[in-house]
């Protein structure tokens, strides 16, 4: 089955072709990062308009790269949520229009299920069951995954997502949007011994996260240095390092708890923040202590992309799942626990 995947939930237009027999055939991406950087964050209306401009040419590129025509597509998957509603609607309406014209099935996919399954596109794909740490700009979640659509939430952020905390810290440090990679780069010059920032919610049991206190701590440290006339480049780098170490440690501690609580030995890490080098090193160290293995998507599939949507959609489309004709889905908020195993499969089966 050849599935075209379309991702337009935020600030990246992603398109890919996944073939259930041949694997990933082609993928293309347009990032709006440069456009939004000027405003210090994503401007929803600009995002929607840009998706409208970019989507059809990207679909043409992917079909061209895959050397097929649109008439050879068997199905279309698109991101139905969570995300910015206007941005989601561009992908949803394009997918539904194409599917109707081509008379093929179409399915709305959960964005986080896409991230969660992205490591399945790698040669060394994890087997079920596993623990997944989802760390993106909008979500920080620990999930027990027993199969596609069989998700048990173990913990999540009660306030800011990890990526959001990185982006806000970047702003405080005068860095551009999205700040995650820039904070990480600045932290490379930082002295890890100068400060130890708090590891929120690690002194009590549980697998929930909170990053707003850490954000406030970072801001207070910055203001104090500024007031004392001590906020130079080195101090900025030291703050970036203290912040990054605190986030990495906090995530690693919660992952350790999740592995211990479930007794599982596979840890999947996905979402934009999973690109962070120090996070990978920290999690690998934790996993090794427990004889567990970590799995990540390749670099460009850590952040938003069409491949993960094509893949996740294909797993459900092949089981016969699809949207009703003409009823497109664009759901800004959509808890992942509401997902079910693919239609037609026994919910209790693996
Ligand atoms: O998954 P994603 O592309 O979009 C959402 O679904 O949110 O994640 C984007 C987030 C941003 O907050 C960005 O700053 C963060 O991932 N990010 C990073 C790194 N690369 C991206 N955070 C820390 N270190 C990185 N290397
Ligand atoms: Zn995402």
């Amino acid at each position: 089955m050849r599935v075209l995947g379309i991702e337009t939930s935020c600030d990246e237009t992603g398109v890919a072709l996944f073939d259930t027999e041949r694997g990933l055939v082609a993928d293309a991406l347009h990032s709006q990062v440069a456009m939004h950087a000027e405003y210090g964050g994503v401007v929803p209306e600009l995002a929607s308009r840009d998706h409208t401009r970019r989507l059809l040419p990207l679909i043409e590129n992917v079909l061209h790269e895959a050397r097929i025509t649109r008439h050879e597509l068997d199905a279309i998957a698109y991101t139905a949520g969570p995300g910015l509603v206007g941005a989601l609607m561009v992908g949803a309406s394009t997918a539904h229009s194409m599917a109707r014209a081509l008379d093929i099935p179409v399915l709305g996919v959960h964005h986080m299920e896409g991230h969660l399954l992205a490591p399945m596109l790698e040669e060394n794909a994890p087997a079920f069951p596993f623990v997944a740490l989802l760390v993106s700009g909008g979500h920080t979640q620990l999930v027990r995954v027993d199969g596609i659509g069989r998700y048990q939430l173990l913990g999540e952020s009660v306030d800011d997502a990890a990526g959001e905390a990185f982006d806000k810290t970047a702003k405080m440090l005068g860095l551009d949007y999205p700040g995650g990679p820039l904070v990480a780069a600045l932290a490379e010059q930082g002295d890890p011994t100068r400060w130890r920032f708090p590891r929120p919610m690690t002194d009590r049991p549980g697998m929930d996260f909170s990053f707003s206190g850490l954000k406030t701590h970072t801001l207070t440290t910055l203001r104090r240095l500024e007031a004392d006339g001590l906020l130079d480049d080195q101090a900025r780098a030291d703050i970036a390092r203290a912040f990054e170490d605190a986030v990495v440690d906090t995530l690693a501690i919660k992952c350790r708890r999740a592995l211990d609580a479930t007794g599982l030995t596979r840890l999947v890490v996905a979402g934009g923040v999973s690109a962070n080098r120090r996070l990978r090193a920290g999690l690998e160290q934790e996993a090794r202590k427990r004889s567990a293995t970590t799995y990540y998507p390749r670099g460009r599939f850590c952040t938003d992309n069409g491949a993960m949507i094509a893949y996740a959609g294909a797993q459900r489309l092949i089981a016969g799942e699809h949207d009703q004709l003409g009823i497109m889905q664009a759901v800004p908020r959509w808890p992942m626990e509401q997902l079910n195993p693919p239609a037609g499969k026994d919910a209790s089966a693996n």
Side-chain angles (χ1 to χ4, degrees), residues 24-339:
L24 185 68
V25 180
D27 76 285
L29 186 87
H30 174 77
S31 171
Q32 304 178 352
V33 158
M35 184 181 78
H36 297 295
E38 209 182 310
Y39 304 92
V42 178
V43 184
E45 180 59 24
L46 292 182
S48 313
R49 290 180 194 206
D50 204 55
H51 286 308
T52 309
R53 260 192 305 271
R54 307 287 178 177
L55 186 53
L56 290 177
L58 277 182
I59 292 173
E60 289 302 324
N61 288 353
V62 163
L63 292 175
H64 182 76
E65 195 189 325
R67 297 170 194 276
I68 61 165
T69 70
R70 59 182 179 276
H71 301 285
E72 290 169 271
L73 291 172
D74 297 306
I76 303 178
Y78 65 95
T79 303
L84 302 169
V85 71
L88 290 167
M89 281 172 71
V90 178
S93 54
T94 306
H96 267 264
S97 316
M98 274 184 79
R100 180 170 278 220
L102 298 169
D103 196 21
I104 55 175
V106 57
L107 178 69
V109 171
H110 194 289
H111 181 79
M112 297 312 288
E113 180 169 69
H115 275 304
L116 182 79
L117 299 178
M120 299 292 190
L121 288 163
E122 303 309 316
E123 226 165 83
N124 173 32
F128 298 118
F130 54 76
V131 168
L133 172 69
L134 297 176
V135 270
S136 72
H139 294 81
T140 302
Q141 296 179 323
L142 265 168
V143 188
R144 181 193 164 110
V145 180
D146 285 293
I148 290 169
R150 299 180 66 205
Y151 310 132
Q152 184 195 344
L153 187 67
L154 301 171
E156 65 181 333
S157 177
V158 297
D159 40 55
D160 292 354
E164 196 180 353
F166 265 101
D167 294 339
K168 287 177 178 170
T169 299
K171 212 175 225 178
M172 289 180 216
L173 290 166
L175 303 170
D176 278 346
Y177 176 88
L182 301 175
V183 171
L186 184 60
E188 288 305 306
Q189 325 298 320
D191 173 1
T193 61
R194 183 158 173 196
W195 287 297
R196 185 185 156 84
F197 281 10
R199 276 63 172 153
M201 292 178 81
T202 53
D203 54 352
R204 58 185 115 150
M207 289 175 260
D208 283 338
F209 307 88
S210 163
F211 291 108
S212 75
L214 175 61
K215 188 183 63 191
T216 310
H217 186 91
T218 308
L219 185 63
T220 315
T221 309
L222 262 166
R223 290 225 173 110
R224 203 183 52 230
L225 286 167
E226 210 168 14
D228 296 344
L230 297 172
L231 188 59
D232 55 13
D233 286 349
Q234 189 57 49
R236 277 199 182 83
D238 296 344
I239 287 176
R241 181 62 192 266
F243 168 83
E244 186 179 45
D245 282 350
V247 174
V248 167
D249 238 23
T250 306
L251 293 173
I253 290 167
K254 300 295 164 111
C255 284
R256 181 204 303 162
R257 287 185 189 171
L259 290 173
D260 287 348
T262 58
L264 298 178
T265 54
R266 284 180 286 266
L267 176 66
V268 162
V269 192
V273 186
S274 69
N276 187 279
R277 207 176 56 78
R278 256 179 231 289
L279 176 64
R280 290 186 176 212
L283 294 178
E284 247 139 58
Q285 205 181 344
E286 261 332 306
R288 226 175 294 123
K289 283 190 223 154
R290 277 158 181 72
S291 305
T293 314
T294 47
Y295 299 85
Y296 306 92
R298 73 193 78 168
R300 71 176 197 280
F301 295 161
C302 286
T303 44
D304 293 347
N305 64 86
M308 66 184 196
I309 301 304
Y311 179 83
Q315 308 314 306
R316 292 180 172 278
L317 284 155
I318 207 162
E321 216 173 289
H322 58 80
D323 286 1
Q324 277 180 47
L325 194 67
I327 303 188
M328 66 172 197
Q329 317 283 329
V331 198
R333 286 184 181 277
W334 184 5
M336 204 165 66
E337 311 87 87
Q338 285 178 2
L339 293 177

